[in-house]
Amino acid sequence: MRNSTGPVRAWSTGRMDLVHDADASTYRLVADGATLSQADYRVRDGAGDTVWVFHHTYTQPVHRGHGLAERVVRFALDDARTRGVKVSATCWFVADFVRDHDEYADLVA
């Protein structure tokens, strides 16, 4: 299933961009053309709902500890909500984030 509005949706903070590339099934935080952090997912269709299974997050080691992965995951979950998609997390980081942020509990498949 592809994003019907195009493969890339982006939001800019001025210095950094948060990008959703639906063709690559990834959300990325990009600065100066380099990906600093990303969250990858797989699309699973089931019992009437589309579910995005977040299976991997990664932040460049030099950029860890600055909340970049949290920004990417929050952007991804907010975007999933606007698209009416449920989420599942096999990645520990996304699972912990959802567990620690009750405002995303309604998204869990």
Side-chain angles (χ1 to χ4, degrees), residues 7-105:
V8 176
R9 178 172 183 241
W11 173 84
S12 178
T13 63
R15 209 176 119 219
M16 293 184 244
D17 295 317
L18 288 163
V19 178
H20 176 214
D21 184 342
D23 288 338
S25 298
T26 191
Y27 284 86
R28 295 178 289 132
L29 189 145
V30 179
D32 298 323
T35 298
L36 307 183
S37 185
Q38 70 186 62
D40 302 326
Y41 65 93
R42 291 185 189 95
V43 177
R44 182 182 79 206
D45 291 318
D49 288 324
T50 296
V51 177
W52 288 352
V53 180
F54 284 89
H55 61 90
H56 180 253
T57 57
Y58 180 78
T59 300
Q60 295 288 335
V62 69
H63 298 294
R64 291 180 183 162
H66 301 286
L68 302 182
E70 180 176 334
R71 286 185 189 182
V72 172
V73 170
R74 186 177 298 276
F75 178 64
L77 295 175
D78 289 343
D79 193 39
R81 175 175 282 125
T82 64
R83 296 171 189 276
V85 174
K86 294 292 187 182
V87 300
S88 176
T90 58
C91 166
W92 69 267
F93 186 88
V94 178
D96 286 356
F97 184 88
V98 171
R99 184 197 66 226
D100 294 343
H101 294 85
D102 292 338
E103 65 270 32
Y104 295 108

